Amino acid sequence: MTGRASVQFAGDQALIFRVVKVDPKPTYHGWAWITGYVLDQAGQAVDRREIFVQPAGLQILRTPARVRPAGAVRRPAGGRRA
């Protein structure tokens, strides 16, 4: 989120936000309520928020898939070893 989405996110108030819901109810033309999570530098959710923004000002960030370290073993669901 930057100032292009809403003045509240201008300058050092910018943040990375994972959108989980866009409210379908109509609001002012060109604006929407969205719900999601503020992410830290590691991509971990640190705060759930509902914010009022201009969707036209949002930027989509594409992040690479997480790479599993060499030799890492994927365990089945439940975390039990065979």
Side-chain angles (χ1 to χ4, degrees), residues 58-73:
L58 299 177
Q59 296 175 320
I60 297 174
L61 297 178
R62 303 275 183 215
T63 56
R66 292 190 179 191
V67 177
R68 194 174 311 130
V73 176

Side-chain angles (χ1 to χ4, degrees), residues 1-2 5 9 15-24 32-40 43-63:
M1 295 290 153
T2 66
F9 303 113
L15 51 87
I16 298 174
F17 194 77
R18 179 181 298 141
V19 177
V20 296
K21 178 184 172 191
V22 177
D23 194 324
W33 282 102
I34 62 175
T35 303
Y37 295 92
V38 176
L39 305 180
D40 65 13
Q44 299 297 310
V46 294
D47 189 24
R48 182 178 170 101
R49 292 179 60 180
E50 184 177 71
I51 56 179
F52 194 55
V53 297
Q54 296 180 52
L58 299 177
Q59 296 175 320
I60 297 174
L61 297 178
R62 303 275 183 215
T63 56

